[in-house]
Amino acid sequence: MSHFDQKNTVMFENQKKIIELPLYIQKLIIKTICKYINSNLKLIDIVGGSISYRENESSINNFMINIALVCDEWFKTLSNNIRVSVDFNYKLDYKSSEKYTIIKRENIKYLKLHFAHDTDSFYHLATDGLEKNFSLDFVKDNLKKLSQLSTITTVSNENNNNNNNNNNNNNNNNNNNNNNNNNNNNNNNNNNNNNNNNNNNNNNNNNNNNNNNNNNNNNNNNNNKIGNFKRLIIRNFGVYSDSLNILLNSLNDDKLYINGGISALELDINNKTTMESLNQLYTFNLKKIFTIYITKCDNESVILETFKLYSKSIKNLCVWELSSKYPLFQLLTGCSSIKTIDGGIINEINYLSNIEYISIYNCLITLKDIICLISPNNLPKLKKFAFNVCFNNLIYYLSTKDERSQNEHIKRCKCSGVIIEPTESTISNEERNEIIQNQFDLDWNEIEKILKVNEKIKEIKLFNLCKTQLFTGSDNKYLPESFITKVSSLISSIKNLERLGTRDIFSPTFFESILKNNKSITHIQTTVLNANIPKKFEDGQPFDFVKNYSHIKEFKIIGCQKVLFNYKN
């Protein structure tokens, strides 16, 4: 064999060599993976993104099973470090062995339960899609057992300290503190080996006896198991009025105490919400809320109090209907010039700094509101922004004078959307219109500046809503060139935008302009009223240009109560 062949053979054999990681490194890797799994299991919702909450849940469960099946050591390490149970997915029979279960009750720190307010029931969604309901008594009984395990852990730790102190006094008068017992024994070893050997043996024996006594006590109380449970997470759906208060009251009627408190998915703030009902939630140990719904709440003090209590945990804000009595968003972001209705409160605290998702439906907002919400100083973590504006006004103020004169469909609207009109009664209509147009131009330019440098926003939904008249159309015939150019340019300027949703825009030119100028967008969906879809567009053919843009994964058009066009790449 030539030197060349020998060299190649050695290289080939080296390539085939499998390097096995030491077991302790494997365990460290599994523990790191467990942190990721625990974090995902604790997730209470996923807003936006490419994967749904249930898809993520299924993926994590399969991931755990795959790790557990590799070998016995991986299984043990995984089982010892999973801290989250979902819908009681552990052995509920405290007398049976947990040897072959991934999730062990003594390791559980967090229990996540699913609750539907419409059916007033806890439930588990099985892999076959069927729901299994849990009775309230079942939930309360097992919550008690978990919380008792946690209590026993605390009590037994105190007993260990007391018993060890007693042993130290009996076996070694020089050792008065249990925490220093081992150190003192080691010091005595240096001074007197014979005496200390006896002392160490005595201490070890006494400590072992102590542990046995504690274990026996725990065995009498809870079958030799102690736990770490500290927080209940409730993924509650369909919240309305004071339904969350009712739920938590039913769980707390036996004075159930959960050390780390309760987290909930949804809370609805409306005209029935009072300061007393908010305080009641806090007395029920509700510590965190993910989503706040505001449904025409006229009491700004109640809204402020809600955010005072829960602003650190609120990630998602949904406004279903907005009272026109006060500027809600300026109030919550702490603009010092904004006073509440009674004139007695000025809020200077920004309660929206942790918000990641905002959806505003069934209510109109102005450009001032938009500036307030997209400003990185106010909402630095904002990822998704869905909102309504009056398209009639937006089209009018974005159009040129020539476009207004040539297109009879471009008309001003009397609704309160887009711009706040001046209240002065002494100025002429011409002066008033000029003031409004100038203010609109300033606000629009400010929005452009903010969005051009924004790197956080991943999803925008722009919907039409008008309170006084029907929007007349949405294709090129009704949308002036200036509207298409300015709005598409605004959306295209958002650097990391991935998803775009619109309603009542059916212009191929509009969407193609966006796709040409923004390569980060992967998903687009537009919904159009039946009356606004020209017959020539009903088959979606004018949107075949989408196939020319490889970065688009999905482009969907919904209208006439059906999907007109659905491109997937």
Side-chain angles (χ1 to χ4, degrees), residues 201-218:
N201 289 332
N202 288 334
N203 285 334
N204 288 333
N205 290 332
N206 285 323
N207 285 337
N208 288 333
N209 290 333
N210 231 6
N211 290 333
N212 290 333
N213 290 333
N214 286 331
N215 286 337
N216 288 334
N217 290 333
N218 289 339

Side-chain angles (χ1 to χ4, degrees), residues 36 44 57-58 66 89 91 97 140 197 244 266 422 490:
Y36 169 78
I44 202 165
E57 181 182 65
S58 176
N66 289 336
N89 59 344
K91 276 192 177 293
S97 171
K140 289 165 65 175
N197 285 334
L244 184 57
E266 299 178 352
L490 182 74

